[in-house]
Amino acid sequence: MGRQDHAKRSLGWLYGHVAGSRTLLVGAGGIGCELLKNLVLTGFGEIHIVDLDTIDLSNLNRQFLFRREHIKKSKALVAKEAAGRYNPNVKLEAHHANIKDPRFNIDWFKSFDVVFNALDNVDARRHVNRMCLAADVPLVESGTTGFNGQVQVIKKVPRAFLSVVGPDAEVQQGKTECYDCNVKEALKSFPVCTIRTTPSQPIHSIVWAKSYLFTELFGTSEDDAPELDHTENQENADEIETLRRESQALRRIRQARGSKEFARRVFEKVYSEDIERLRSMENLWKTRNPPVVLDHDRIVDEARSLDASTTASNDQATWNLSENFGVFSDSLDRLGRRMQHLQARMTPGDPPPILTFDKDDVDTLDFVASSANLRSIVFGIEPKSKFDIKQMAGNIIPAIATTNAMIAGLCVLQAFKVMQRKLENARMIFLVKSTHRVISAERLAAPNPECPACSVAQSRVAVDTSRATLKDLVEDFLRLELGYGDEFSVNNDVGVLYDPDLDDNLEKSLTTLGVRDESFLTIIDEDDEDPRVNLVLSITDTSLPEPSKPIRASEKVEIGRRPKPTDSSQTRPTTVAVNGHTTNGASNGATPVAMLGKRKRTAGSSEGNDDVVRHDDDNDEDESSRQVKRRGIVPEEDTTADVTTSTTGLEASIKTAPVRTLPGSTLLGGGSALGGTGGVDRDRDGDGVIVLDEEEDAAGAITIEDDL
């Protein structure tokens, strides 16, 4: 029996299409490894793998294509080598690169029959989503968070792609919800003054130890760190200046790294001198307990009999004051010696060496854990174990290998429906840790009419960037050729390039403004009467002979009008997001849009921004999402969901009972790790927790009886 006989019998005529397909897999991590294995064993003919990451020790417990000898090697390259042994008939191409690199342009995406997303961050997911929409290529989006998982098919297609006409009119017309149809949760951030002055939670101490103290001693000083916003206002200007002086004092102390006095000087600075200063600010402690000053000499005597290495190895225990002090001093000595070694290897012209926090680096983790716990003791906060601090400092959601395997198998099953040209049979699949049901499915939802990614017009334009100016785009192309009026704006990934109140960029070249080959421009019609939908222009740098105009449409541009609401009371506020920025003044947690120039008039004044520390680390498996309570999805008696998967990912026997689910409901909302694109979030009490309840709106519930 041949290697592919089982696949041929299972797929029938579809196998020929699968074997001749060209597939893109973005991400070779937890889901990516399982998915690549499934694709190879199924017989997908040509698979391209893109991943920028390298293999860490923590990956080995679930990313089964990797072994210990692969640590620090490229995930994409090792995955290609390992998966190739399963089926030598499959052509594999690996790219150790960022999927946002210009070489991965729209034409490159168009060369694929299907794209699989197995990414762990929102920004890259948005990019792939936008590129697939522009290239008109089906995307299978997936994600996991612990025991929960989600799979979604995204495809913007003409009616001819669909085999039959069903009840979902908008989906039948090729209008399916995309990844950006729901607002994603904003990154967690903490005000600097809270972290440095009035911490109240363990995470505050951990962020202080990792993002402030560690970087001041061994990394990039806070004054030079790009992720910190030091904007001052009248309320915090004095405090920010005081905090800057503290940072400068630590920069002087760091010159003593490697000496016997280094640990003492750091300890007395941050746990004695700085705490004395805070205690003197009596107004801060009228409603809270003041911090406690730690006595270095007394703690040294108590810790003399302790072995720091033994304490550090007990990562499940919560260390006491003396144990934390011992690990603190020992880790500072280790890190100081490492810095001295790096400095000794420097050659003239080299930048000063720095260390960066890594949850798998024992020295850096020991320092962050012990210094965070000492900080917590000072402020009366509950200390945490080293194991817990590793989870929090690394922003880790525990990854479950079986969850990844199940989601990867479901991805392939959904891809079969796309390749059969039966998009109407595709489903949004949810995997939930529940006593009622493990797997549930919903029909693909209609798109959000205000989505900045899929509810837009898209076109490609040829631009001679060597001579094209913003005026050529605004006056000649948009106004004269496309018929735009006076009220519109031009935006790119940097910010607003032009609007009626910002016209000082008109004479500048597009190159000067950051417009380059394969970049995007978003045109937002701000007409009050009958505005057009947003227009996304994909730029192709082309040499156009003079005296022809430097900007020319590569294809016919068709721009629809925004739908008019039938009931003004139900109208959602228009939020136009451009490359992650919000342009209507309602930020929804996003970064305020930038302006390349000066406005002649403004609609209002903005408040000063408090300094923030962004706790935005790459997750071990997926970015942190809102927790979701899912209860009452199915009646108590309909609880069976038996799933059996083989190593090929083909044989899936799923015994499902009828599912009662709310129209437009979703497992995870907004900024979830799982895509968060299932429909309307039902956050009843505004606490960020969505409760999907069978009793709610039972009359509108639907019954789904369909395989996955």
Side-chain angles (χ1 to χ4, degrees):
M1 182 176 290
R3 181 185 295 270
Q4 296 300 313
D5 284 354
H6 286 298
K8 291 177 181 178
R9 292 179 181 180
S10 299
L11 296 177
W13 66 267
L14 181 61
Y15 178 78
H17 187 31
V18 169
S21 66
R22 181 177 159 93
T23 304
L24 171 62
L25 172 61
V26 187
I31 297 176
C33 282
E34 293 286 345
L35 189 49
L36 179 60
K37 176 257 297 178
N38 289 348
L39 296 174
V40 167
L41 291 175
T42 303
F44 280 74
E46 180 178 345
I47 306 169
H48 287 245
I49 312 143
V50 180
D51 198 307
L52 181 62
D53 205 2
T54 56
I55 300 164
D56 289 327
L57 176 63
S58 62
N59 301 147
L60 302 185
N61 71 333
R62 67 199 177 281
Q63 299 175 19
F64 298 124
L65 295 181
F66 309 140
R67 298 291 181 267
R68 184 174 290 271
E69 62 268 22
H70 298 142
I71 291 175
K72 300 305 178 184
K73 294 183 179 180
S74 164
K75 285 187 176 181
L77 296 174
V78 174
K80 170 191 172 182
E81 178 185 353
R85 301 191 191 102
Y86 291 130
N87 189 349
N89 298 322
V90 174
K91 179 181 179 181
L92 295 173
E93 294 288 342
H95 307 271
H96 180 59
N98 191 331
I99 191 60
K100 298 177 72 174
D101 285 354
R103 58 177 161 144
F104 304 131
N105 54 30
I106 293 176
D107 288 331
W108 188 75
F109 271 84
K110 281 185 175 181
S111 68
F112 295 101
D113 296 290
V114 64
V115 176
F116 292 91
N117 244 359
L119 290 163
D120 62 357
N121 69 88
V122 172
D123 184 58
R125 280 172 156 161
R126 281 175 168 160
H127 177 78
V128 174
N129 176 68
R130 185 171 61 169
M131 296 298 286
C132 287
L133 290 172
D136 196 18
V137 176
L139 169 64
V140 181
E141 168 68 42
S142 62
T144 61
T145 298
F147 289 100
N148 297 339
Q150 181 171 315
V151 178
Q152 178 192 12
V153 175
I154 300 170
K155 181 70 169 76
K156 200 172 184 181
V157 295
R159 180 180 289 273
F161 184 90
L162 300 143
S163 59
V164 297
V165 176
D168 303 302
E170 287 194 279
V171 174
Q172 292 298 321
Q173 294 173 20
K175 298 178 181 178
T176 64
E177 192 175 49
C178 81
Y179 182 75
D180 275 332
C181 276
N182 289 314
V183 177
K184 301 298 181 288
E185 183 178 345
L187 297 176
K188 182 63 176 176
S189 63
F190 302 95
V192 165
C193 293
T194 297
I195 297 298
R196 300 271 294 277
T197 306
T198 57
S200 59
Q201 303 173 26
I203 188 63
H204 294 162
S205 298
I206 294 169
V207 171
W208 173 85
K210 172 190 167 186
S211 299
Y212 166 65
L213 185 60
F214 179 82
T215 55
E216 287 294 340
L217 295 175
F218 302 105
T220 303
S221 173
E222 179 185 290
D223 293 334
D224 304 321
E227 68 274 13
L228 299 183
D229 178 9
H230 296 281
T231 304
E232 298 176 1
N233 57 38
Q234 293 180 349
E235 296 181 357
N236 71 355
D238 293 341
E239 178 64 12
I240 294 299
E241 181 56 34
T242 300
L243 298 178
R244 285 193 178 121
R245 288 197 297 270
E246 289 183 3
S247 298
Q248 291 167 0
L250 279 175
R251 295 179 74 176
R252 291 191 293 270
I253 291 175
R254 66 192 286 175
Q255 303 304 316
R257 288 178 305 206
S259 69
K260 294 182 179 180
E261 292 297 313
F262 182 48
R264 169 190 284 271
R265 292 181 63 182
V266 173
F267 185 93
E268 291 182 341
K269 171 69 175 65
V270 297
Y271 299 116
S272 297
E273 297 172 13
D274 291 351
I275 303 305
E276 289 281 12
R277 182 190 67 80
L278 289 176
R279 287 177 60 90
S280 68
M281 304 168 64
E282 296 180 358
N283 289 336
L284 285 176
W285 317 115
K286 289 182 177 180
T287 59
R288 55 170 68 94
N289 294 326
V292 177
V293 176
L294 299 183
D295 186 333
H296 178 271
D297 293 337
R298 181 181 65 82
I299 300 174
V300 167
D301 292 337
E302 295 175 354
R304 289 190 191 280
S305 61
L306 300 176
D307 179 46
S309 60
T310 301
T311 301
S313 63
N314 190 4
D315 63 351
Q316 299 286 342
T318 301
W319 306 329
N320 60 28
L321 174 60
S322 300
E323 290 170 331
N324 277 296
F325 175 81
V327 176
F328 173 83
S329 300
D330 184 62
S331 61
L332 272 177
D333 289 341
R334 283 179 273 150
L335 292 169
R337 290 194 297 270
R338 283 173 59 175
M339 287 298 294
Q340 285 185 319
H341 179 68
L342 292 174
Q343 290 171 338
R345 297 172 57 186
M346 289 176 57
T347 58
D350 288 348
I354 63 172
L355 298 177
T356 57
F357 173 79
D358 186 335
K359 65 183 184 299
D360 296 316
D361 184 325
V362 174
D363 296 342
T364 62
L365 180 60
D366 283 349
F367 174 77
V368 169
S370 58
S371 57
N373 277 338
L374 290 171
R375 177 81 166 178
S376 292
I377 292 171
V378 166
F379 284 91
I381 302 169
E382 179 188 7
K384 293 291 184 179
S385 69
K386 176 180 170 181
F387 178 82
D388 290 336
I389 290 174
K390 179 178 180 179
Q391 305 293 304
M392 299 169 76
N395 201 16
I396 301 169
I397 300 172
I400 311 298
T402 49
T403 306
N404 293 336
M406 294 173 72
I407 287 297
L410 292 168
C411 284
V412 177
L413 293 176
Q414 293 303 304
F416 290 158
K417 297 178 182 181
V418 173
M419 302 181 79
Q420 287 175 310
R421 307 177 74 85
K422 292 183 177 180
L423 190 65
E424 69 278 2
N425 291 337
R427 293 290 182 267
M428 172 87 81
I429 308 297
F430 301 110
L431 181 64
V432 189
K433 182 184 179 183
S434 170
T435 58
H436 297 295
R437 188 181 188 82
V438 176
I439 296 178
S440 60
E442 296 176 0
R443 297 183 186 276
L444 298 181
N448 179 354
E450 297 169 3
C451 175
C454 66
S455 295
V456 299
Q458 295 180 325
S459 184
R460 305 188 72 176
V461 292
V463 177
D464 190 339
T465 56
S466 65
R467 58 191 182 95
T469 65
L470 182 60
K471 185 176 181 180
D472 293 323
L473 176 69
V474 170
E475 300 293 344
D476 294 342
F477 185 72
L478 295 176
R479 286 204 170 107
L480 292 181
E481 189 166 339
L482 299 187
Y484 275 84
D486 294 328
E487 298 290 332
F488 67 88
S489 63
V490 179
N491 310 262
N492 71 351
D493 55 358
V494 176
V496 179
L497 303 182
Y498 167 82
D499 72 12
D501 304 320
L502 180 68
D503 59 7
D504 51 346
N505 292 326
L506 285 175
E507 301 301 328
K508 295 180 180 179
S509 68
L510 292 180
T511 303
T512 302
L513 297 172
V515 180
R516 60 190 184 279
D517 188 36
E518 300 300 335
S519 62
F520 291 91
L521 292 176
T522 302
I523 317 302
I524 302 175
D525 190 354
E526 299 172 356
D527 183 74
D528 294 332
E529 297 297 327
D530 191 18
R532 308 178 187 205
V533 298
N534 293 356
L535 171 63
V536 177
L537 297 176
S538 174
I539 305 300
T540 302
D541 190 3
T542 306
S543 178
L544 299 175
E546 298 190 48
S548 64
K549 294 181 179 180
I551 301 177
R552 183 176 64 196
S554 303
E555 56 195 19
K556 185 178 180 180
V557 183
E558 297 181 355
I559 313 171
R561 300 288 178 175
R562 294 183 194 171
K564 295 182 179 180
T566 56
D567 184 354
S568 60
S569 66
Q570 299 177 355
T571 304
R572 290 186 292 182
T574 302
T575 302
V576 181
V578 182
N579 301 316
H581 301 296
T582 306
T583 62
N584 71 335
S587 66
N588 295 319
T591 305
V593 68
M595 292 175 290
L596 300 187
K598 297 180 179 179
R599 288 191 181 277
K600 294 181 178 179
R601 54 186 172 89
T602 58
S605 60
S606 60
E607 297 178 356
N609 296 323
D610 193 12
D611 289 19
V612 296
V613 177
R614 296 196 178 278
H615 188 53
D616 179 27
D617 304 293
D618 288 339
N619 300 335
D620 186 51
E621 181 59 34
D622 233 320
E623 72 270 9
S624 179
S625 64
R626 284 185 288 174
Q627 293 182 344
V628 179
K629 301 174 186 174
R630 189 175 178 90
R631 65 191 185 203
I633 299 299
V634 293
E636 187 67 31
E637 62 272 18
D638 294 334
T639 59
T640 58
D642 299 337
V643 181
T644 303
T645 57
S646 71
T647 55
T648 65
L650 288 177
E651 302 171 11
S653 173
I654 302 174
K655 183 170 60 178
T656 62
V659 183
R660 291 182 57 80
T661 181
L662 297 176
S665 63
T666 179
L667 170 63
L668 292 185
S672 79
L674 311 184
T677 54
V680 179
D681 294 344
R682 298 175 181 268
D683 186 358
R684 297 172 178 170
D685 51 9
D687 63 355
V689 177
I690 306 163
V691 179
L692 303 182
D693 200 339
E694 184 192 9
E695 285 75 20
E696 178 182 345
D697 193 22
I702 60 173
T703 300
I704 299 174
E705 294 182 352
D706 184 46
D707 62 2
L708 301 178

